[in-house]
Amino acid sequence: MLRLASRALLVAAAATATAYCSGDIQGQKDRDGWESRWAASQIGWHRSAVNPGLVRHFESLCPSRACTVLVPLCGKSQDLLWLSSSEAGENSVIGFELVKQALDQLHSENNLKAAVDRVGSATRFRAQGRDLTTYACDFLALAPDTSIQGDAAFDRGSLVALPLEARGAYVDKLLSLMHDGGRVLLLAVEYDVPGVSPGPPHSVSESDVARLFASRGCQYEVLHRREDSDPSPKLLKAGAKVVYEVAYLITKTNSVCSNPGSQDNSAA
């Protein structure tokens, strides 16, 4: 098991943090596509229960159980509610979602009251009764002068949803919003298909993780790798024989991303 650098985890006042979106990096076509899916309830990636991988590995992600947790491309995930509940500890949770309708549904479907305002070009929701703040905003366009800094981040469907050419920008943005020593719990899917990727979800291999986080000041370890018992039908239709769920714990340090036990750390 890789020994991760220890540090004092800080608790930030997420509800008073300032975030600004400048522009629309993901593009209007991409935005329209995601908005159309939400409008038509074509959200097969959404899960109505808390992700078991998050619960299983949360102690590794946030040993203090009092972290500022970032959740990029969060949708209306139940993971936001669990992370900001007493069951998970005393966390400040900050979510980012491109489609405002997703955050409207998050609050209406869970009877969450929120103070809603505009911050730059983003719509900010500050939930009442829990330390949960969400922004309707292009995550990749989040301005570099934001005061948001996380101790931890949870990525279940973000990296795998992005086109391959956007992965590097996503990793740069995520790490720029995290303290040194901050940890990322990445739940990726891995599969092989002939030809063009049928994703999202796109396959993310261990060599992809090494390449994306290498030279960005990270270390990683594989927490679990298991066959997905309920893979996306379109992946099977595209020719995937088996789909794996792989959990990575990634730590932002000053060293090159490495995994002593890895069988494949080459650049993809």
Side-chain angles (χ1 to χ4, degrees):
M1 184 70 70
L2 181 64
R3 183 177 298 277
L4 302 177
S6 61
R7 72 176 191 87
L9 294 172
L10 304 177
V11 180
T16 59
T18 302
Y20 298 94
C21 280
S22 54
D24 187 1
I25 293 179
Q26 287 188 245
Q28 189 61 45
K29 182 178 179 180
D30 194 40
R31 178 186 293 272
D32 289 346
W34 289 112
E35 287 180 344
S36 296
R37 293 186 185 192
W38 278 96
S41 296
Q42 295 176 347
I43 51 173
W45 62 87
H46 175 69
R47 296 291 180 265
S48 59
V50 178
N51 188 281
L54 170 61
V55 177
R56 182 182 307 117
H57 298 302
F58 187 66
E59 291 287 352
S60 297
L61 176 65
C62 176
S64 71
R65 300 178 68 84
C67 294
T68 297
V69 185
L70 309 183
V71 187
L73 284 62
C74 61
K76 59 177 182 179
S77 173
Q78 292 294 303
D79 300 330
L80 295 166
L81 303 183
W82 185 82
L83 284 167
S84 59
S85 71
S86 59
E87 183 178 352
E90 299 179 356
N91 305 301
S92 296
V93 183
I94 309 175
F96 306 90
E97 170 54 43
L98 181 65
V99 181
K100 179 177 176 292
Q101 182 180 350
L103 299 182
D104 289 334
Q105 292 181 11
L106 169 71
H107 291 83
S108 63
E109 293 175 4
N110 295 285
N111 297 314
L112 288 178
K113 294 182 178 180
V116 183
D117 61 0
R118 296 285 293 179
V119 184
S121 61
T123 300
R124 177 174 60 180
F125 297 76
R126 288 179 287 178
Q128 298 178 12
R130 61 176 65 220
D131 200 344
L132 170 62
T133 303
T134 49
Y135 294 90
C137 180
D138 182 347
F139 179 71
L140 297 183
L142 200 64
D145 61 348
T146 175
S147 61
I148 292 175
Q149 287 287 288
D151 305 303
F154 177 55
D155 179 336
R156 182 196 73 86
S158 305
L159 187 61
V160 298
L162 292 171
L164 304 185
E165 61 271 17
R167 287 180 174 179
Y170 168 79
V171 171
D172 286 336
K173 179 60 63 179
L174 180 60
L175 293 178
S176 75
L177 298 175
M178 300 189 69
H179 294 293
D180 287 341
R183 299 177 178 184
V184 181
L185 177 59
L186 168 65
L187 298 185
V189 294
E190 184 179 331
Y191 57 85
D192 288 317
V193 295
V196 179
S197 169
H202 300 289
S203 179
V204 175
S205 67
E206 185 174 342
S207 60
D208 290 332
V209 172
R211 174 179 56 83
L212 286 166
F213 289 91
S215 75
R216 288 180 168 95
C218 297
Q219 294 180 321
Y220 78 89
E221 59 179 309
V222 177
L223 298 180
H224 76 240
R225 185 176 190 272
R226 56 171 59 93
E227 184 174 343
D228 190 339
S229 60
D230 185 27
S232 171
K234 74 175 181 179
L235 301 184
L236 301 179
K237 185 177 180 179
K241 301 300 183 183
V242 61
V243 178
Y244 293 99
E245 178 190 82
V246 189
Y248 297 93
L249 184 66
I250 301 164
T251 303
K252 180 179 177 181
T253 69
N254 293 321
S255 61
V256 173
C257 187
S258 61
N259 180 2
S262 171
Q263 298 299 311
D264 181 8
N265 279 329
S266 60

